[in-house]
Amino acid sequence: MDNGTVFKPNDRYPLHKEEFRLYYTSASTDRQTIDVYVEDNFGQTAKFSFEFNSQRDEEKEKPNGDKK
């Protein structure tokens, strides 16, 4: 997070501000999906899903090996 907190999977972390920045660094070359759940003080939950492709996957998808 923007304050240097490193998150562990499936744990809860309180947010002390309305806005926060989440940094993600993948150690994998596979396509990944991350689900982030945000819960308010009233127990209402919102789910946000993010999908990432590795650079190798993106290169495979470009026709004729075009690496722009």
Side-chain angles (χ1 to χ4, degrees), residues 2-67:
D2 59 354
N3 65 359
T5 301
V6 177
F7 293 121
K8 295 179 184 176
N10 302 318
D11 278 353
R12 291 179 177 214
Y13 296 90
L15 299 176
H16 301 288
K17 300 184 266 180
E18 285 187 32
E19 294 182 15
F20 70 98
R21 183 171 294 181
L22 179 66
Y23 297 92
Y24 174 75
T25 303
S26 173
S28 174
T29 58
D30 297 330
R31 171 182 247 171
Q32 297 178 6
T33 301
I34 297 175
D35 295 326
V36 176
Y37 295 84
V38 179
E39 183 179 75
D40 67 13
N41 293 336
F42 303 103
Q44 297 177 4
T45 304
K47 176 183 173 184
F48 301 93
S49 295
F50 304 92
E51 293 184 12
F52 300 93
N53 292 329
S54 71
Q55 287 182 346
R56 289 183 188 165
D57 286 346
E58 290 173 1
E59 289 174 2
K60 288 179 192 174
E61 292 174 8
K62 292 182 181 177
N64 302 323
D66 186 13
K67 295 182 179 181

